[in-house]
Amino acid sequence: MPRTFPEEQAKVLRNSLYCVLKAISIVHPEVGYCQGMNFLFMKLLEILNDEMAFWMMDYLLRRFTQLSTNYKSPESVQLQNHVFTKLFEKHLKEVHDVCADQMITPLLFTTPWFITFFSSILPKELFCRIFECLLSEGYKIIYRAGLAIMKHK
């Protein structure tokens, strides 16, 4: 918990986080608990109550098979990184080439994006905006948000 959020916030949310993670692992035994879930759940718990956070995660695991597959299979994350790299090269060629010259591969920084839907790196307001777009537009927003971050940086 302290790695996920500051200790004072972790104390308040520790029990909620434990309960919803445990419930999801029971309802989705094929996924269980996987590293990265805690970041996404903590962001959800900042904006939703325990029950709504559980149902939102349940919905995400059912609707976005990429998420549940990411938690179960490193190959899935590698495939998504491959897709992102191709999009990165196509849409942000100059930035891509600079990264390539420095031997910086997107795999170094995109893995948490795909596992946590950016919840581990973005402030709550920006995460909420991307999350809203994810729910309305689908998984492609994860790639679009990643490209926007790379363009901004």
Side-chain angles (χ1 to χ4, degrees):
M1 278 291 282
R3 287 184 338 200
T4 310
F5 283 88
E7 188 60 32
E8 59 276 359
Q9 187 177 11
K11 285 180 184 176
V12 174
L13 297 174
R14 180 175 285 135
N15 190 48
S16 294
L17 180 62
Y18 173 79
C19 290
V20 291
L21 285 172
K22 179 77 171 168
I24 282 294
S25 70
I26 292 168
V27 172
H28 294 275
E30 72 284 1
V31 177
Y33 168 76
C34 301
Q35 196 167 10
M37 281 183 170
N38 54 333
F39 287 102
L40 182 53
F41 262 121
M42 286 301 283
K43 259 328 179 224
L44 292 175
L45 286 168
E46 286 180 25
I47 54 177
L48 302 169
N49 65 36
D50 298 11
E51 183 179 355
M52 290 303 297
F54 165 81
W55 287 115
M56 181 58 70
M57 190 65 172
D58 179 67
Y59 173 77
L60 292 172
L61 290 170
R62 292 177 196 277
R63 168 130 188 253
F64 300 106
T65 56
Q66 300 94 328
L67 181 61
S68 59
T69 305
N70 286 350
Y71 287 136
K72 295 185 291 188
S73 167
E75 293 82 19
S76 174
V77 175
Q78 289 175 343
L79 176 61
Q80 289 177 48
N81 274 298
H82 177 74
V83 171
F84 179 81
T85 300
K86 294 297 183 187
L87 292 168
F88 183 35
E89 185 176 13
K90 178 180 179 182
H91 296 287
L92 297 171
K93 180 101 174 101
E94 284 184 28
V95 180
H96 174 272
D97 291 348
V98 168
C99 288
D101 289 345
Q102 299 298 316
M103 297 173 52
I104 299 171
T105 175
L107 184 64
L108 296 172
F109 49 84
T110 58
T111 300
W113 298 355
F114 299 127
I115 293 175
T116 69
F117 288 158
F118 298 98
S119 62
S120 64
I121 64 161
L122 294 178
K124 181 170 65 173
E125 294 76 19
L126 191 50
F127 164 77
C128 287
R129 179 67 186 125
I130 290 172
F131 196 72
E132 287 174 4
C133 292
L134 172 73
L135 295 175
S136 65
E137 297 179 38
Y139 197 80
K140 64 187 173 190
I141 196 65
I142 299 300
Y143 297 116
R144 289 180 181 167
L147 291 172
I149 288 170
M150 295 308 296
K151 185 176 182 180
H152 179 71
K153 295 271 181 186

